[in-house]
Amino acid sequence: MAGILKQPGAFAITPHKVSLCILLKIYAPPAQISVPFPFSSVSQHNRLGLFLLALTKSCDDILEPKLDELINQLRMMSQNWEASWVIDQLMSRLSSLSSPDDLFNFFSDIRGILGSPDSGAVEDDQVILDLNSNLGIFLRRCVLAFNLLSFEGVCHLLTNIGIYCKEEFSNCPPFEEPSLDDSSSNLETYSEYENMELENFVYEKVSEETEATKEASERVPFHLHTPNTLLSLVDDIDVPADSVSKQSEKVRVASLYGDPPSNMPRDIDSSGAVFLRTNWQVQGYLQEQADTLEKNGSTVSLNGFDIILRQLQKLAPELHRVHFLSYLNGLAHDDYIAALENLHCYFDYSAGTEGFDYIPPVGSTFGRYEIALLCLGMMHFHFGHPKLALEVLTEAVHVSQQQSNDTCLAYTLAAISNLLSENGISSTVGILGSSCSPFTSIGISLSVQQQLFVLLRGSLKRAENLKLKRLVASNHLAMAKFDLTHVQRPLLSFGPKSSMKLSTCPVNVCKELRLSSHLISDFSSESSAMTIDGAFSTAWLRNLQKPMGSLVLCQENGSGSSSNVSQFCAQPTSIPGSVLQVLGSSYILRATTWELYGSTPLARINALVHATCFADASSSSDAALAYVKLIQHLAVFKGYKEAFSALKIAEEKFLSVSKSQILLLKLQLLHEHALHRGRLKLAQKLCDELGVLASPVTGVDMELKTEASLRQARTLLAANQFREAATVAHSLFCMCYKYNLQVENASVLLLLAEIHKKSGNAVLGLPYALASLSFCLSFNLDLLKASATLTLAELWLSLGSSHATRALNLIHGAFPMILGHGGLELRSRAYIVEAKCYLSDINFNVSENYKIVIDSLRQASEELQLLEFHELAAEAFYLMAMVYDKLGQLEEREEAAASFQKHILALDNPQDQDDPFVSMF
């Protein structure tokens, strides 16, 4: 790749760096130069200093902003200080650099703003830069880089400055017009440099100039601008300059600090000049793009990014990592053929030796074959081939053991554990060998759940021994998830057995979650061999425009309001993105844990922490899941109006995510809303949509398939098709039992109890309710336990008024959990059942204690109207009318009866045009 510097850390002076030097001179003018100072306060002056600090920190990134982008950044960051004056000074001083002598004088004068240890008295209003400060070091590096330039290099820099300015002069604002008049002669000079008539030269002369350009570029320059005629002589590039430059212009967006839509490098300028980067910067760019593809690859243009990768492959065939980026690009866009082909190409050309942090064993003849198998297994896992993925990963275990590659073995065991945990694998007979489980060698048959436990413990132990901190944290999260959803059972079926409770332990779950958070203190132990030069600094510029305390699910972006105060204090830290992603996943798991354990405030606060603190570092699926949990909270506690307003914002944010959690949430909310309003045809249609989303492959998308079957049974139950609903629920229970989905079994058993309750078979429903309670006790599902207790009380009440006292005691025992953590529907149901228990009790005097019943029913009716739950609301108003009738309060009775009739009519004749959320489907 011609023009790539051999030294990875070379610092080259560029027109952008010259602009920064001019801004630094404006920020800290020399004492002997009188410059009008536009800043009216110290805070305004500090704002410019922090902005320059962010710019200097990002100067080593592969993406350098053009002059128009720099001016736009100045305008956006200047809310109070005089931007026009600073921009005018910048343009005029750039225009005044008309000769090499001007550049020499500029870099000589700029030393005056640097302080020295032996500097004497300083004027009161003088600002000097410390030699060892970030700004001071940047300025010293620029001066040193300029002094290393030859005379030809200085002339080349001057030409680049002219091209750099001319791009802005073509569409400059009116306040920059005076500088155009002063620099017209300079533009003619620059034009002479660029538009030389090279057709009159002989080919040998062109070749000599090309070689001279290569020699000059190997020393310092960052941007190499080549005239249009020379582009046809470059053998490595077969794309016409004009077409490529037009394409480069298309990918530029109006976003101030954001990268182009596909995060592609602006290697080709609109003037037809090629920007050649150092090998260090290209490697850093590829690493950064790999992180972007893994976090949210669907936002990257498939074809646009592929064009850039093919261009890099032609310019530098030795960069085999380009094939790996193509593999990730195909993976992100669900292109199985492209992903498989590029993965094979990557390992065929590089044998997996490029882009991984650890070194293969000495004397290995297979290269990185075990890593190739690991990547292939993860690819099959991504595309929904669980059996094939398990076979490939098992082979990767064997090869890792043969090659003594303990690191790859630890990651492979973690991948198998994740596969067994995420997908429904009913049997691993003939797939998992003795290498994965020490018990198979002595003839002991283990269930998938037990094998998963053995694999998790083995992977965690290996990761701790190898000091793979990220893997240790991930394994702790996997252990927490296992302890949350699996009952602890003894592994051995013979011999003395220690006493073991067949239930989960919340203490173990919290312990594993806490251990995973220790990663933040020692993440540097597992350092990466590839350093992203400038990637961390680029985050500074992106964060400068973010408002302080940005609200989650806030519809107003506030980009043009005065409240959008730029935050300069909360800049990103140097913590790797993978570490932040693991920490963010821990908060998502915390939210899920507290949802199961029945603590609504803790579930909500953990989801808020993830959405507020880890949204930028987390994957798009984790970020969407955090929004899903927050929107579900709104739906349960505030009603559908608030939830659908937040859902509309989330849909715009996660529009490009395939198989989005947001889409699933939308269908769930619409289905609940349709059932509450009695629109059963729409509810059935939504159930069909949920079923279509799930993969037809057995054992894949088990959570989605379970959700679709549950809602199908509830729809049949609402239509009073009890036999069909029970059949669907029974089949779902068998599937959950087969794939060890024990937590889901508790919900299915509760649904079966409700089906029998509504069909009038309360005696048959009691065993299902008691079984659901047993599951809830084993897994500490406190909120679901309260719901099951409420169903059990309804079943006892259905058996006759003699059981009213027992049902009332059950309800009062569950009231603390229901009223403290239950949603609108659960609380309303509890209020109605409590009122029915009082009214069914022969010892209860309505005339004396009517306020207890009326208050409960009134509270239930208000909350049910927020949910538009017509059936339950009608029942509440019916009971209110009965109470008022016994009390002789005829006016209140008629009012309650009218409300009852209104809900009954709405339930029997649902009007689609009255539903404001129909258009969302």
Side-chain angles (χ1 to χ4, degrees):
M1 188 173 182
I4 291 184
L5 298 181
K6 297 180 179 180
Q7 297 180 357
F11 185 88
I13 189 69
T14 63
H16 175 65
K17 293 184 177 68
V18 173
S19 299
L20 295 186
C21 291
I22 292 175
L23 291 175
L24 284 173
K25 197 171 181 180
I26 296 173
Y27 171 73
Q32 66 272 16
I33 301 178
S34 176
V35 179
F37 203 69
F39 309 109
S40 59
S41 65
V42 176
S43 62
Q44 295 171 4
H45 182 253
N46 291 340
R47 184 184 299 275
L48 175 61
L50 288 172
F51 175 64
L52 293 177
L53 179 63
L55 286 173
T56 55
K57 281 180 173 291
S58 63
C59 67
D60 289 330
D61 192 15
I62 190 172
L63 301 174
E64 273 200 348
K66 297 178 182 295
L67 183 57
D68 58 342
E69 295 173 355
L70 177 61
I71 290 176
N72 288 332
Q73 292 171 4
L74 283 169
R75 290 195 187 114
M76 293 298 296
M77 294 311 303
S78 59
Q79 296 181 354
N80 295 319
W81 45 276
E82 298 294 336
S84 59
W85 185 90
V86 175
I87 295 173
D88 186 52
Q89 288 290 318
L90 172 63
M91 297 301 299
S92 62
R93 297 188 189 189
L94 276 175
S95 303
S96 64
L97 300 176
S98 58
S99 67
D101 289 337
D102 294 333
L103 281 174
F104 280 108
N105 294 333
F106 172 75
F107 280 99
S108 298
D109 296 339
I110 205 172
R111 298 177 183 176
I113 67 176
L114 290 172
S116 60
D118 55 349
S119 59
V122 180
E123 298 181 9
D124 293 339
D125 58 350
Q126 183 181 356
V127 179
I128 61 173
L129 298 180
D130 188 358
L131 288 172
N132 298 321
S133 65
N134 288 328
L135 296 180
I137 292 174
F138 170 79
L139 200 58
R140 288 160 57 194
R141 293 178 72 190
C142 290
V143 173
L144 177 61
F146 178 79
N147 291 336
L148 292 176
L149 287 178
S150 62
F151 180 76
E152 291 79 6
V154 174
C155 294
H156 189 73
L157 174 62
L158 193 66
T159 303
N160 289 344
I161 293 176
I163 300 174
Y164 176 74
C165 294
K166 190 170 69 172
E167 296 170 358
E168 171 62 19
F169 287 158
S170 60
N171 55 358
C172 61
F175 66 86
E176 295 176 359
E177 290 180 358
S179 62
L180 285 175
D181 297 335
D182 299 335
S183 59
S184 58
S185 59
N186 299 333
L187 292 179
E188 294 175 359
T189 305
Y190 301 144
S191 179
E192 293 176 1
Y193 279 100
E194 184 186 12
N195 299 319
M196 293 182 293
E197 295 294 335
L198 297 178
E199 289 80 359
N200 298 328
F201 291 171
V202 295
Y203 180 79
E204 290 77 12
K205 182 64 176 178
V206 175
S207 300
E208 292 175 2
E209 292 187 1
T210 306
E211 293 298 325
T213 305
K214 290 182 179 180
E215 294 176 2
S217 64
E218 288 178 357
R219 298 189 59 181
V220 174
F222 181 78
H223 295 109
L224 176 61
H225 292 273
T226 310
N228 295 331
T229 312
L230 287 180
L231 286 176
S232 60
L233 302 176
V234 181
D235 297 331
D236 293 336
I237 304 176
D238 58 357
V239 181
D242 294 338
S243 62
V244 179
S245 63
K246 291 178 181 179
Q247 181 184 1
S248 176
E249 289 298 319
K250 290 180 181 179
V251 302
R252 294 184 60 191
V253 294
S255 175
L256 181 58
Y257 303 112
D259 293 338
S262 60
N263 289 330
M264 293 184 292
R266 291 187 295 263
D267 284 341
I268 301 176
D269 190 355
S270 59
S271 62
V274 180
F275 288 73
L276 297 180
R277 309 297 186 179
T278 67
N279 184 59
W280 189 256
Q281 289 167 325
V282 172
Q283 291 282 9
Y285 167 77
L286 293 177
Q287 180 68 42
E288 189 178 18
Q289 295 309 300
D291 294 338
T292 302
L293 285 169
E294 289 177 342
K295 286 195 300 183
N296 192 8
S298 57
T299 60
V300 179
S301 172
L302 174 64
N303 296 327
F305 186 56
D306 190 59
I307 291 175
I308 294 298
L309 292 177
R310 287 202 301 266
Q311 186 77 356
L312 286 175
Q313 185 180 354
K314 292 177 182 178
L315 293 172
E318 70 277 4
L319 293 178
H320 305 303
R321 192 176 179 83
V322 171
H323 293 292
F324 192 77
L325 267 293
S326 299
Y327 154 71
L328 292 179
N329 194 26
L331 200 68
H333 294 86
D334 295 330
D335 191 342
Y336 176 76
I337 302 300
L340 184 62
E341 180 182 356
N342 284 287
L343 182 62
H344 285 169
C345 288
Y346 171 68
F347 282 97
D348 287 343
Y349 287 115
S350 68
T353 58
E354 184 181 322
F356 293 94
D357 296 342
Y358 45 92
I359 302 174
V362 180
S364 174
T365 58
F366 293 95
R368 298 293 183 88
Y369 180 55
E370 63 274 14
I371 301 179
L373 290 172
L374 174 59
C375 293
L376 183 61
M378 295 304 296
M379 188 195 72
H380 285 303
F381 173 50
H382 173 81
F383 284 107
H385 310 149
K387 292 289 185 181
L388 188 57
L390 193 56
E391 293 176 1
V392 174
L393 291 174
T394 305
E395 181 65 21
V397 170
H398 296 318
V399 178
S400 298
Q401 290 175 332
Q402 292 173 2
Q403 301 300 321
S404 300
N405 195 336
D406 294 333
T407 304
C408 184
L409 179 60
Y411 278 101
T412 305
L413 292 178
I416 295 176
S417 302
N418 188 33
L419 175 64
L420 295 179
S421 176
E422 295 295 331
N423 289 285
I425 304 293
S426 59
S427 176
T428 58
V429 177
I431 300 177
L432 290 178
S434 59
S435 60
C436 296
S437 174
F439 299 99
T440 55
S441 59
I442 57 176
I444 299 176
S445 177
L446 298 181
S447 65
V448 176
Q449 174 183 335
Q450 291 170 325
Q451 291 189 36
L452 175 58
F453 179 76
V454 173
L455 288 170
L456 284 173
R457 298 301 302 178
S459 179
L460 178 59
K461 184 177 180 180
R462 288 181 180 274
E464 289 175 343
N465 293 336
L466 296 170
K467 301 186 184 305
L468 303 175
K469 299 299 181 181
R470 293 180 179 90
L471 186 57
V472 169
S474 298
N475 282 332
H476 279 303
L477 290 180
M479 284 299 302
K481 188 182 298 184
F482 180 86
D483 291 337
L484 181 66
T485 58
H486 291 81
V487 174
Q488 299 297 315
R489 300 179 184 276
L491 294 176
L492 299 178
S493 59
F494 65 95
K497 301 178 182 179
S498 60
S499 60
M500 180 179 294
K501 295 181 179 179
L502 300 182
S503 63
T504 60
C505 183
V507 175
N508 291 338
V509 176
C510 295
K511 177 183 176 182
E512 297 293 345
L513 289 172
R514 185 177 295 273
L515 288 174
S516 69
S517 299
H518 291 171
L519 177 67
I520 194 69
S521 61
D522 52 6
F523 68 90
S524 59
S525 299
E526 188 190 359
S527 59
S528 174
M530 177 64 66
T531 302
I532 306 176
D533 193 11
F536 160 63
S537 303
T538 305
W540 278 68
L541 279 176
R542 294 191 183 121
N543 272 24
L544 281 177
Q545 197 185 11
K546 292 183 178 180
M548 297 181 63
S550 58
L551 298 177
V552 179
L553 298 176
C554 179
Q555 197 164 9
E556 297 180 358
N557 54 18
S559 58
S561 63
S562 59
S563 61
N564 186 13
V565 182
S566 301
Q567 59 173 14
F568 294 95
C569 300
Q571 293 298 343
T573 63
S574 57
I575 301 175
S578 58
V579 173
L580 293 176
Q581 188 171 356
V582 172
L583 292 176
S585 298
S586 70
Y587 280 95
I588 287 290
L589 185 55
R590 282 184 174 92
T592 304
T593 300
W594 291 116
E595 282 178 356
L596 294 177
Y597 287 161
S599 180
T600 300
L602 288 176
R604 179 175 177 269
I605 195 63
N606 280 283
L608 276 173
V609 168
H610 183 278
T612 305
C613 302
F614 298 97
D616 294 336
S618 66
S619 63
S620 59
S621 59
D622 280 352
L625 186 56
Y627 276 74
V628 164
K629 293 183 181 299
L630 294 172
I631 296 172
Q632 284 175 337
H633 182 272
L634 289 176
V636 171
F637 291 92
K638 300 294 183 181
Y640 294 108
K641 183 178 181 181
E642 297 286 342
F644 280 116
S645 298
L647 179 62
K648 185 177 181 181
I649 302 172
E651 277 189 305
E652 296 175 356
K653 183 177 181 64
F654 300 99
L655 182 63
S656 59
V657 181
S658 61
K659 265 191 181 180
S660 172
Q661 295 279 350
I662 302 297
L663 175 59
L664 176 60
L665 173 66
K666 179 180 179 179
L667 294 176
Q668 289 172 338
L669 293 181
L670 288 172
H671 180 264
E672 290 287 346
H673 192 246
L675 285 183
H676 290 168
R677 291 173 58 89
R679 302 180 57 205
L680 300 183
K681 290 184 178 180
L682 176 59
Q684 181 59 49
K685 186 177 181 181
L686 292 165
C687 286
D688 296 338
E689 291 290 334
L690 280 171
V692 169
L693 289 179
S695 172
V697 180
T698 303
V700 179
D701 292 339
M702 296 304 301
E703 182 180 356
L704 191 54
K705 292 176 180 177
T706 303
E707 180 71 15
S709 297
L710 272 174
R711 295 190 175 274
Q712 175 70 21
R714 288 175 181 169
T715 304
L716 293 172
L717 177 60
N720 295 326
Q721 299 180 16
F722 305 117
R723 187 180 299 275
E724 292 80 1
T727 302
V728 173
H730 184 267
S731 300
L732 178 59
F733 178 82
C734 294
M735 183 185 72
C736 293
Y737 183 81
K738 178 181 179 181
Y739 292 110
N740 297 310
L741 304 177
Q742 305 297 342
V743 175
E744 287 77 1
N745 272 335
S747 300
V748 178
L749 289 170
L750 183 58
L751 177 60
L752 284 168
E754 292 177 354
I755 291 173
H756 288 292
K757 179 198 71 175
K758 195 171 182 180
S759 63
N761 298 318
V763 176
L764 295 178
L766 284 173
Y768 291 107
L770 291 173
S772 180
L773 275 175
S774 178
F775 271 91
C776 293
L777 288 172
S778 297
F779 292 96
N780 302 283
L781 310 177
D782 293 341
L783 190 58
L784 188 60
K785 174 190 171 184
S787 181
T789 303
L790 181 60
T791 301
L792 184 62
E794 290 179 294
L795 289 170
W796 280 116
L797 189 60
S798 300
L799 295 177
S801 59
S802 60
H803 299 283
T805 303
R806 175 183 292 181
L808 189 61
N809 291 334
L810 288 172
I811 294 172
H812 286 168
F815 254 169
M817 177 59 64
I818 293 176
L819 299 183
H821 301 276
L824 297 176
E825 181 179 349
L826 185 60
R827 291 203 302 258
S828 301
R829 279 185 56 202
Y831 285 133
I832 292 175
V833 176
E834 183 193 28
K836 291 169 69 175
C837 289
Y838 281 125
L839 295 176
S840 300
D841 191 355
I842 57 177
N843 298 321
F844 181 78
N845 191 339
V846 179
S847 301
E848 296 179 359
N849 302 311
Y850 72 93
K851 287 187 177 180
I852 299 177
V853 180
I854 290 297
D855 290 343
S856 298
L857 293 175
R858 184 178 291 112
Q859 183 70 26
S861 62
E862 291 175 358
E863 294 181 348
L864 288 171
Q865 289 183 84
L866 289 176
L867 294 175
E868 299 181 74
F869 201 159
H870 295 312
E871 183 179 2
L872 274 183
E875 185 175 2
F877 283 113
Y878 176 77
L879 294 175
M880 289 175 64
M882 288 180 57
V883 174
Y884 285 128
D885 183 64
K886 290 182 180 181
L887 296 175
Q889 300 180 11
L890 301 182
E891 184 177 353
E892 289 80 359
R893 183 195 67 180
E894 294 301 322
E895 182 179 355
S899 298
F900 164 77
Q901 185 180 13
K902 182 183 69 173
H903 285 286
I904 289 295
L905 291 176
L907 187 64
D908 293 337
N909 302 297
Q911 300 295 326
D912 294 351
Q913 61 270 20
D914 296 338
D915 191 351
F917 310 119
V918 172
S919 59
M920 298 189 66
F921 178 62

